Amino acid sequence: MEATYKKYVLNFKRPSGTSRGVLTQKETWFLLLDDNGKFGIGECGLLKGLSMDDLPDYEEKLKWTCDNIQLGRDVLWDHLRAYPSIQFGVEQAFRSVEAKDPLELFPSDFTQNECPIAINGLIWMGDKAFMHDQIQEKLEQGFQCIKMKIGAMDFGSEVSLLESIRKAYSSDVMELRVDANGAFRPKEAMEKLQILATYDLHSIEQPIKQGQILEMKRLCEETPLAIALDEELIGSCDVTEKEKLLQTIKPQYLILKPSLLGGYKGSAEWIDLAKKHDIGWWITSALESNVGLNAIAQWTFGLGNAMPQGLGTGGLYTNNFDGPLSVAEGKLYYRTNKKWNTNMIQELCT
């Protein structure tokens, strides 16, 4: 078996605002396998400024992985604990090269019978009119669950926006999740949570920055609004360490991004612990291309979680890899009559 890697830069259709700034491009990497003519592909979805493996030697570690591909999936995964996005790329690539179809990693009713996955519609940060337009568009597309990024505008403006949203759309019409990306200061967080809770929200992701364990524990104990941990999970690689974090903070939900948490295996460890401690969870993509999103979605379907998942980012880019993934009526489908653009994928290999 031979392995190579290649960098690919995804271009956003429009600048996309988060509390960490405005994104115009997203750099990703692909791990490519050739096993006596059988092709395999895995996406290493590095997120600059957030992934724990956003390190100077990232490309060097990719080269090391290719040079040592004969070690196999499990041994490589253990060696790559500090590089969760490469762990995930390795898992995908090995599943891909072993599969009958290199892009059907988990054959199921999702890939073969167009059984969909419920997803949330993602609303990007911007001015009030822009965010309202996005919400209206998502509702017209059939979404019943909306996730809205907050933390970039002043809080008063965001509350005003939420108030106007709830006047137009009750919780019976639209489930509303918000994601603060750690934007609140600990001293002000509880007051803000109390205000946000009046708008009948489903949950808030990461109200304060990760690493403030005792502050987050206090918030989860006293919050009037369900709290979901997201960035807080990044960097916890050992199962014992993961369980200690959950036992201490006791959150209501976990947001699991395989590219940031060590792929299928790393995410499954969090799921097992969440079930053990009666914590809800759902899966979210992390701005991967359609190759990575496809790998996450197929695995997610098999988990049987009926909650809306965060898998709707495939339409963000001008130069994504066209394939069977399609969003309709607030659900993600794998259309059996659509094929992958093999020309684009073959170009990766040259």
Side-chain angles (χ1 to χ4, degrees):
M1 184 184 292
E2 296 180 354
T4 56
Y5 68 89
K6 190 162 185 179
K7 177 180 173 180
Y8 190 79
V9 177
L10 293 155
N11 298 313
F12 281 84
K13 290 178 179 176
R14 66 171 73 182
S16 298
T18 75
S19 61
R20 287 184 290 271
V22 176
L23 303 175
T24 58
Q25 291 186 321
K26 161 67 167 62
E27 176 185 293
T28 195
W29 300 80
F30 289 96
L31 182 62
L32 307 163
L33 302 187
D34 182 346
D35 186 12
N36 293 317
K38 280 207 72 183
F39 170 74
I41 184 170
E43 182 169 358
C44 305
L46 178 70
L47 262 183
K48 292 285 189 181
L50 183 58
S51 300
M52 68 172 285
D53 49 7
D54 181 15
L55 299 169
D57 68 343
Y58 187 84
E59 186 172 355
E60 182 181 322
K61 187 57 67 171
L62 272 172
K63 184 178 185 305
W64 178 89
T65 301
C66 292
D67 290 343
N68 291 276
I69 201 68
Q70 75 282 353
L71 293 175
R73 171 174 32 207
D74 295 336
V75 173
L76 284 171
W77 195 93
D78 284 336
H79 274 287
L80 293 165
R81 287 185 180 273
Y83 300 83
S85 66
I86 304 180
Q87 284 180 315
F88 189 30
V90 166
E91 286 181 321
Q92 292 171 60
F94 273 91
R95 273 200 166 267
S96 175
V97 81
E98 293 162 1
K100 182 178 178 181
D101 176 342
L103 288 163
E104 188 179 5
L105 308 187
F106 296 88
S108 69
D109 284 340
F110 175 67
T111 59
Q112 297 175 355
N113 295 312
E114 298 196 6
C115 189
I117 302 169
I119 60 174
N120 61 238
L122 182 60
I123 304 302
W124 292 92
M125 290 175 174
D127 61 34
K128 191 172 181 178
F130 172 61
M131 295 181 81
H132 257 300
D133 287 346
Q134 290 183 82
I135 290 168
Q136 185 59 41
E137 181 183 350
K138 294 299 181 187
L139 289 173
E140 290 173 358
Q141 291 171 352
F143 285 94
Q144 295 178 312
C145 178
I146 301 293
K147 173 181 167 179
M148 192 175 96
K149 298 274 189 178
I150 62 173
M153 299 188 292
D154 70 274
F155 187 66
S157 297
E158 291 176 337
V159 168
S160 175
L161 177 61
L162 287 169
E163 183 176 9
S164 66
I165 291 169
R166 270 297 177 236
K167 282 182 179 178
Y169 317 106
S170 71
S171 58
D172 293 332
V173 173
M174 182 178 71
E175 179 179 286
L176 187 56
R177 302 169 175 175
V178 295
D179 181 2
N181 285 131
F184 300 163
R185 293 192 296 269
K187 289 183 179 180
E188 66 186 17
M190 183 56 70
E191 180 182 357
K192 289 186 173 182
L193 291 176
Q194 289 168 345
I195 293 170
L196 291 170
T198 64
Y199 297 105
D200 202 8
L201 306 182
H202 173 270
S203 56
I204 181 169
E205 294 182 34
Q206 204 67 43
I208 63 174
K209 281 189 171 63
Q210 67 267 41
Q212 303 175 89
I213 305 299
L214 295 182
E215 292 288 353
M216 188 68 87
K217 169 183 165 66
R218 179 183 65 83
L219 289 177
C220 289
E221 285 175 347
E222 302 174 9
T223 183
L225 173 61
I227 291 175
L229 301 187
D230 182 357
E231 289 92 340
E232 199 74 61
L233 308 181
I234 298 171
S236 295
C237 302
D238 177 76
V239 175
T240 302
E241 181 185 358
K242 291 177 180 181
E243 184 159 30
K244 182 179 178 181
L245 181 74
L246 297 188
Q247 287 176 319
T248 301
I249 296 179
K250 298 179 181 176
Q252 286 75 42
Y253 292 104
L254 304 182
I255 310 297
L256 304 173
K257 296 185 170 103
S259 289
L260 304 181
L261 302 177
Y264 303 130
K265 185 176 178 180
S267 300
E269 289 174 351
W270 283 113
I271 291 171
D272 290 343
L273 291 170
K275 290 177 178 178
K276 178 179 177 181
H277 294 285
D278 197 26
I279 297 167
W281 55 273
W282 64 88
I283 308 297
T284 302
S285 53
L287 301 180
E288 296 87 357
S289 77
N290 276 334
V291 173
L293 177 61
N294 173 63
I296 296 170
Q298 290 185 29
W299 176 70
T300 299
F301 180 84
L303 299 175
N305 186 337
M307 294 181 70
Q309 308 294 301
L311 303 177
T313 59
L316 292 175
Y317 306 115
T318 62
N319 59 337
N320 209 336
F321 300 89
D322 297 331
L325 296 178
S326 174
V327 176
E329 296 301 315
K331 297 179 176 66
L332 181 67
Y333 289 84
Y334 192 95
R335 298 299 190 189
T336 55
N337 64 343
K338 290 180 67 178
K339 303 299 180 185
W340 286 95
N341 185 335
T342 52
N343 290 335
M344 291 184 72
I345 294 173
Q346 285 171 357
E347 286 178 12
L348 278 177
C349 305
T350 59

